[in-house]
Structure formats: structure tokens, C-alpha cells
Amino acid sequence: MPLHRAAIGITLAASACVAAPKTVRPPARPPTAEVLAQLWVEPEDIAARDLFHGPGGPRLLPDPGRRFEFVSRKATGFSPGWDVKDPAGVEWSVKAGPEAQVEVTVSRLVWAIGFHQPPTYYVRDWSLTGSPEEGPQYNARFRPDLQAMKKTGTWAWHHNPFVGTAPYRGLLVLMLVVNNWDLLERNNVVYDLEEPREGARRWHVTRDLGASLGTARRFPQGSRNDVEGFEREGFVAGVAGGRVRFAYRGRHQELFRDLTPADVRWTCGRLARLTPRQWEDAFRAGGFEPERAARFIRAIRKRVDQGQKLSG
């Protein structure tokens, strides 16, 4: 085969391997209130939520300096991590690195407006035993593996029981507010609970939120825990034909093409109910220093104010 024909064949084959853009497919019928509760339940009082301890409350918060037994080392993902066991036999997923702070704080904001989240905590000081890395460790996200809350699968952004509902669309807006560009299916987890909590026995959760609060780009990939980058990024670029155009340039832009000003106001109106103390607590929970936290909070609230003022 002539060289140029071979090159064309390779190019065509490579093009065929590129996945076509996914489309968002709504369910055959709208979800019932019971099904919708698997994703979101309206909080009775957003301003009363404890954003320092989060959904796990103070009871599960690991004590400073606690020793954890090594179970396994995580070999995938951006941040280093371990599975460990505490003295009571509870296993924890531990993540270190720049994602740890962001994941805890953004999880608090997601939970604050009614979306389900597993307990997460930022632990500054702890020790690891039974590993070549044993000894004092610092600054990590801890998430418990609870008997009453079992991971049973994952769910897709593009096709799920909630597509088309206000909470589903509001969750997409929330991902834009915090610039979460790592919208992978493996980060969307289904939990089955022993007993109903927050309105449901099954939860559809968006977790592993550490690729947030930075720049949102697909090529090259975005940044995380990057206050300067986050401050520079835009949020709403305009409104055309009743649809909002966003500055977001991360993964799965097709998810956001049909969002309306009402969708943006749905999310931003709820975030606007958070008190100054709650904003501070959410970032304090992630171990952010006050000055850095204040910069992130100003940038997020600027987006919230912009979203609330959208008309159309």
C-alpha cells in the first residue's frame, strides 16, 4: 500500500476510535418523589446545617494523632492514598495531596443544599502503622467505609432517573460554580443504606470532588485547589435563546448546553442562603487558612450573585 494511503487509513481508523459526543437522555417518565429523594431532598433549614462536621456529624471525626493500621496502598488517581483501619476496626479511605482540602469543603457545599454525601473529614495529624511509610502523617481526607452504607454501583451523568429534573440540572450548575472538571462516571456512586436517611434508602452521590476550585480545562487538564486560577475563571458568559452560555471548558460540555437561567437561579438561590459562618465552617473543615478561604469564598459568592441576577 502506498505510504500516503496507509497514512490516510491510520487517520481514518484513529478518527473512528474517537467516541462520539454523548447525549443526555431523559428517563421514559419523570421520577416519583421517592425516586428523586435518592438524589436530593430539600433541607428543612439550609442555614442551620453544620458545615464544619458535615453529614457525618462530630461523632465520626477522627481524633488528632490517632494511629491507623495500613490495609492497602492506592495505585490509581491523581493523589496518593491508602485504605486504613482504625482501632475500632472501621476502614477508611484516605487521600493526601492538594485534592484533600478541596474534596472536604466542596462536599460540604454539595450537602448543604440537599444533595447526599458520605461523611468526609480533613485530618491534619495522624499516624500510619504496618507499612513502609509508617510514622506520622499529615493533611489528608478521611472517608469511612460504614457497614450501614454500602457502595453498590455507579451512575451516569447522561442517563439516570433524574435527567430533566430541577435538582439534576441544579447539580450540574453546582459543578460549574465550583469548577469541578473531573466528571467521570466512577465518581458517581450508588449507596444502599440499612435504614432510610435523608429521605431514602438508596443514594445517588457525586463524590471525589477534589478536582474543583481551580481552572476548568480538558486539554490540558484543569487545576485544583488553585485560588489564583479560580479567581481568574469566568462563570456565566451570557444567555442566548433562553440558554445559558458558560465559561467552563472542562469535560462533558454537552451536559451544560441546555441549562436555563432558572436552573442557575435554583442553585445559586440556595447557596445564597448560607450564612457567613457556614461558608467559613465549610472551608475550615477543609483545613484552609483563613486568608486563602476568604479568597475562595469571595470568588464563589461572586458567582452566586451573578447567577441569582440572571433573567430570561
Side-chain angles (χ1 to χ4, degrees):
M1 179 183 292
L3 182 60
H4 74 282
R5 292 181 62 190
I8 292 172
I10 293 171
T11 301
L12 293 174
S15 300
C17 292
V18 175
K22 292 184 178 180
T23 57
V24 180
R25 294 181 292 146
R29 59 181 62 87
T32 64
E34 291 76 14
V35 172
L36 187 58
Q38 296 179 16
L39 178 71
W40 172 85
V41 174
E42 183 82 77
E44 291 184 7
D45 184 0
I46 287 176
R49 291 214 147 179
D50 176 1
L51 296 198
F52 180 70
H53 295 106
R59 181 178 61 86
L60 296 175
L61 177 64
D63 297 326
R66 177 180 286 186
R67 297 169 67 86
F68 292 84
E69 180 185 349
F70 174 84
V71 175
S72 63
R73 186 74 157 83
K74 294 187 177 179
T76 61
F78 175 82
S79 298
W82 304 265
D83 288 324
V84 301
K85 185 180 295 185
D86 69 19
V90 176
E91 291 197 9
W92 297 75
S93 167
V94 179
K95 180 186 292 184
E99 289 187 304
Q101 288 185 293
V102 173
E103 185 175 330
V104 171
T105 292
V106 173
S107 174
R108 298 293 191 271
L109 299 179
V110 173
W111 175 72
I113 65 172
F115 296 99
H116 304 302
Q117 284 290 288
T120 58
Y121 301 96
Y122 185 75
V123 182
R124 291 183 180 273
D125 174 23
W126 59 285
S127 292
L128 185 64
T129 64
S131 163
E133 302 166 282
E134 72 176 34
Q137 308 290 330
Y138 305 97
N139 302 336
R141 182 273 286 146
F142 276 67
R143 183 177 64 219
D145 179 11
L146 302 175
Q147 291 292 326
M149 184 176 168
K150 287 298 182 183
K151 176 183 173 181
T152 57
T154 60
W155 60 279
W157 283 109
H158 295 81
H159 181 57
N160 59 69
F162 319 109
V163 169
T165 66
Y168 165 81
R169 296 165 74 89
L171 180 59
L172 291 174
V173 172
L174 183 53
M175 296 299 98
L176 296 173
V177 169
V178 298
N179 268 12
N180 179 21
W181 49 266
D182 195 23
L183 301 176
L184 299 175
E185 185 172 326
R186 66 171 180 259
N187 294 337
N188 288 349
V189 173
V190 177
Y191 287 104
D192 283 346
L193 284 61
E194 284 185 353
E195 300 292 338
R197 286 181 55 196
E198 297 183 4
R201 280 192 79 157
R202 171 168 289 179
W203 286 359
H204 286 68
V205 171
T206 297
R207 68 175 203 186
D208 294 301
L209 298 160
S212 304
L213 299 185
T215 59
R217 296 286 184 271
R218 186 174 181 185
F219 300 111
Q221 72 175 14
S223 63
R224 36 173 80 72
N225 202 351
D226 171 12
V227 68
E228 291 82 9
F230 188 69
E231 288 171 332
R232 288 194 304 269
E233 289 279 286
F235 175 44
V236 172
V239 179
R243 298 295 182 264
V244 181
R245 293 184 293 108
F246 297 97
Y248 176 81
R249 294 296 177 268
R251 292 178 187 270
H252 297 314
Q253 294 180 42
E254 71 278 0
L255 290 171
F256 310 107
R257 290 174 184 156
D258 194 42
L259 296 176
T260 67
D263 297 323
V264 178
R265 292 195 301 267
W266 187 96
T267 298
C268 291
R270 285 166 171 78
L271 289 172
R273 298 180 202 168
L274 297 177
T275 67
R277 174 63 182 272
Q278 285 177 300
W279 284 107
E280 293 171 3
D281 281 349
F283 279 85
R284 188 165 60 92
F288 286 90
E289 297 300 324
E291 181 179 348
R292 187 175 177 85
R295 290 177 64 182
F296 273 124
I297 292 168
R298 280 195 298 271
I300 296 174
R301 295 188 72 172
K302 182 178 178 181
R303 295 181 179 213
V304 170
D305 291 342
Q306 183 185 17
Q308 283 191 288
K309 295 173 182 176
L310 277 185
S311 61

